[in-house]
Amino acid sequence: LSLGETDEAERALLEIAAAETSLFGPESPLAAETHYLLGTVRAGRGDTSGAVFFLKLSVAASQKSRGAIDPSEEGLRRSYFLQSSHSYRLLFDQLVRSGRTDEAMAVMWLMKEEEMRGLDPDVDTAAGEAQGTGDGAPGAGRGPDAFAYLFEGSPEEAAGAAWLAAAKPAAFSGAPGASGEAARETAAGILEVTARLPDLLQEGSRTAAGPSAAARAAAGTLEDVRRRLSDAGGDAALVCAVSAAERLYLVTVTEGGTAVRVSETGSKETERLALEFRALAGDRSRDPRQAGKRLHDAVMEPVAGDLEKAGTRIILLSMDGALRYVPFAALWDGERWLAERYPTAIFSRTALERPEGRGGPGARGDAGTDAGAEAGGPDGPRGEEGGPGRRPTARALGVTAAWPGFQALPGVASEIEAIVGGGGAEGVMEGQGLLDADFDRGALSRSLASDAPVVHVASHFVMDPESLARSALLLGDGTRVSLGDLKTSGEFDFTGLDMLTLSACDTGSGARKGSDGREVESLGEIFLREGAGSVLATLLPVDDMSTPELMREFYRLHYAEGLGKAEALRGAQLKVMRDTDAKAGPVRGKLLDGYGISHAARDAATVWEGSGFTHPYYWAPFVIMGGWR
C-alpha cells in the first residue's frame, strides 16, 4: 500500500481475510482490521460500493469482538477502539459520498455508543435502552445483531449473506480448532464471493427496496431529535461532527430537517487546529483569537447559513476527536466570541430521550416538581424553580486547603458563600456549604441524598480517559473518591438531581497525548444515566477568582431569573468577560504536559493585552452537558 501497489496489496489482503475468517470467523478483531484495510483500498480507488461492503464487515466485527475484551484490560479496550474507530469514520465518509446520509448517521450513533465503553465498560447494561437503538439496532452487548442491522435491506445485503454463508463452516465448528478441510473450504468460499462481489453489489443496488434497517433506525432517531427540539421551542440546533481523513463532516439537525456540510479539513489538521486553540485558550498570557478564527472557519462557518436559516438561538454540540476538548464558547469569528452570539451545550441522547424531566423519576421538589421540566429533557414547561425571586436549595462543598499534589484554592470559600451564603453574605440560593474537613465522603453522600436539586462541588478532579478507578475527585479531608465509586458503590444517589456542578480543573477532560476526547462526553453520560438532569463541568483549568463570580451569576440567571441553563451560562460568561478590572487568582489545575502545542509555538503566539477577566481562560472552560433548558 505504501508503494502505491494497490492491486497487489488487495490480493494479499484478500488472502489474509480468507485465512483469518477460516480460522477465527468473520467476527474476530483480526478480521475487523483486515476488512478495514480492504475498505481503505476500495475507497482509494473511488469504489464506494466495495468500500462500504468491507467497512460494514469491519464495523460489524468490531461490534461483536469488543464484547470479548475483558473490562479490566483498560489499555487493550482503549487501543482496540482507537483502532476500530477508523472503520466507523471511513464508513460514515463513504456512505455520505454515496448519498446515504441516514445510514451514515446510524454508523455515527454506533460509534458514539462504542466510545462510551472506552471509559465505562459497564455501559453494556444500559446503553441499548438509554440510547434508543430500536428497529433492529444492535444496541449494547448485542454485537452479533450488528451484521443484520448494517446489511439488512441495503445494497450490500446479498453480498453479506453470501460472505457469511461462506464463512460459516469453519467459523462455527469450533474455531480455531476447525479441521483443515473446513478451513480450506471457508477460504475458498470467501475468495469466490469476493470474485462475484461487483455483480452481487450491482444486483443489490437494483433490487434494494426502500431504506435499509440502519437507515430506518437512524431516520427514526433523527425524527425524534427534531421532535424534541421542536417541543423545546424550536430554537436549538444539533451540530454533529465526524472527522474523516480528508474532510470534516458537519451535520446540522433542526426541527426543520437535516443538512450535511463538508469542511475541507482532514482529521490531522482538525486535531492540530483544535489542540493549538485549546492550548492558547488555557494560557491567559497568550491571545487565542487567531487560532480561534482558524478553528471557527473550519467547524462553524460551514453551518452558519443553516443555523441562521433555522433561527437558531442555542447550539447543541456532538463533536468528534480532539474537537471535544475545545471550549467552543471562545471561538472567534473575526469580530466576537461565539459566546457573544450563541449559548452552547454538549448534546446527550440520554438526556434528550429521558421521558421524565429533571433527571427522571423522583425529581427533587425544591427546584419545582413538574415531572416534565426541562433539565432532563425538553418534554415540558419549566418547573417552579424558574420563577423570579424563587430561591431553591443547594448543597455546596469545597476544598480550600492544599494537599499533596494539589494546590490550595482560597477562592473556593467565596464561591461557596456566593452560592449558599456564609460569612455574613447572602447566597443566591438557600442551603448548606461544607468546606475542607467537613467535606468528606459521608458529606458528599448525604448531600446527594438530600432533597436539594443542586449539588455543587468545588475542588480538584483528576480525569483518566482509560479508567473509572483512576478518575477521582479530591475531597476536603484529603481523600479521593473515584468515578467508579461514584457510579457503582451504592453510596451516591444522583436520582432526580437537577444540576450536578463540578467546579474543578479539567473535570470533563483527561486530555493527554493520544487521547481522542471521548471521555468528555462519557463523563456527562455517566452522571446523566445515574439520574442527574444536567452536569456543569470544565474543559480547561479554571481561575480561582473568576469562578465564584461566574457561578453566582449562573445560578442567579437560571434559578432566580428563569433563563435556561445554556442561556444562563452564556449570560454568566458575558458578565465575567466584561469585567476589565478584576484580579486573577490561583489556577485550579494546569494543561497536561505534552498535549496541545509546543512551547515554541505557544511562545510565538501574540501576547494577550486585555485586562481583568477578558481572556477566555477566565470564562470559557465551563460547559453544560445534558439538559440545556
Side-chain angles (χ1 to χ4, degrees), residues 119 460-468 470-473 483 505-512 518-524 526 592:
L119 181 65
H460 293 280
F461 194 99
V462 177
M463 188 72 188
D464 189 309
E466 298 177 11
S467 172
L468 293 176
R470 293 194 298 272
S471 299
L473 174 71
L483 190 51
C505 61
D506 278 340
T507 49
S509 166
R512 63 171 60 173
R518 57 193 154 78
E519 75 278 3
V520 173
E521 293 174 330
S522 297
L523 176 76
I526 287 171
L592 299 182

Side-chain angles (χ1 to χ4, degrees), residues 228 348-361 363 370-381 385 496-499 528 531-535 558 565 625-629:
R228 297 299 183 100
S348 162
R349 286 180 67 184
T350 297
L352 191 74
E353 294 171 1
R354 182 177 287 132
E356 299 282 348
R358 207 177 309 284
D370 183 357
E374 87 299 322
D379 292 81
E385 97 285 277
L497 185 65
D498 183 43
M499 170 66 69
L528 293 169
S534 305
V535 177
H558 178 58
K565 290 170 184 168
M625 302 176 172
W628 74 92
R629 303 293 291 184

Side-chain angles (χ1 to χ4, degrees), residues 56-79:
K56 280 189 174 184
L57 288 177
S58 179
V59 168
S62 297
Q63 286 278 309
K64 171 62 176 178
S65 55
R66 49 90 172 145
I69 299 176
D70 186 339
S72 66
E73 296 287 343
E74 296 165 356
L76 178 61
R77 192 175 67 246
R78 176 175 177 271
S79 64

Side-chain angles (χ1 to χ4, degrees), residues 9 26 91 142 170 195 256 266 372 454 495 608:
L91 178 54
R142 290 179 281 158
V454 176
T495 304
W608 178 256

Side-chain angles (χ1 to χ4, degrees), residues 427-449:
V428 71
M429 306 175 78
E430 300 286 353
Q432 181 183 29
L434 300 172
L435 287 172
D436 296 328
D438 293 330
F439 170 25
D440 57 14
R441 190 182 179 104
L444 178 60
S445 177
R446 290 189 296 273
S447 295
L448 289 167

Side-chain angles (χ1 to χ4, degrees), residues 15-75:
E15 293 283 351
I16 292 169
E20 289 171 346
T21 302
S22 69
L23 292 173
F24 306 108
E27 300 170 339
S28 72
L30 290 173
E33 178 64 12
T34 303
H35 294 152
Y36 163 70
L37 293 173
L38 283 165
T40 301
V41 170
R42 293 296 179 102
R45 289 178 179 166
D47 176 11
T48 55
S49 60
V52 166
F53 171 74
F54 284 113
L55 292 167
K56 280 189 174 184
L57 288 177
S58 179
V59 168
S62 297
Q63 286 278 309
K64 171 62 176 178
S65 55
R66 49 90 172 145
I69 299 176
D70 186 339
S72 66
E73 296 287 343
E74 296 165 356

Side-chain angles (χ1 to χ4, degrees), residues 35-167:
H35 294 152
Y36 163 70
L37 293 173
L38 283 165
T40 301
V41 170
R42 293 296 179 102
R45 289 178 179 166
D47 176 11
T48 55
S49 60
V52 166
F53 171 74
F54 284 113
L55 292 167
K56 280 189 174 184
L57 288 177
S58 179
V59 168
S62 297
Q63 286 278 309
K64 171 62 176 178
S65 55
R66 49 90 172 145
I69 299 176
D70 186 339
S72 66
E73 296 287 343
E74 296 165 356
L76 178 61
R77 192 175 67 246
R78 176 175 177 271
S79 64
Y80 178 63
F81 175 74
L82 289 175
Q83 178 191 60
S84 64
S85 65
H86 298 301
S87 299
Y88 291 86
R89 291 185 175 92
L90 185 54
L91 178 54
F92 181 98
D93 170 79
Q94 294 297 294
L95 287 168
V96 172
R97 289 175 186 265
S98 302
R100 297 158 66 178
T101 303
D102 283 349
E103 276 194 79
M105 293 299 290
V107 172
M108 188 194 77
W109 300 133
L110 282 179
M111 183 174 72
K112 291 290 186 182
E113 179 184 301
E114 191 81 343
E115 285 178 330
M116 278 291 295
R117 294 182 191 87
L119 181 65
D120 183 11
D122 293 333
V123 75
D124 279 357
T125 62
E129 178 180 354
Q131 297 228 15
T133 48
D135 196 18
R142 290 179 281 158
D145 294 343
F147 281 93
Y149 177 60
L150 290 169
F151 284 92
E152 181 185 335
S154 75
E156 297 78 35
E157 183 173 20
W163 186 280
L164 287 179

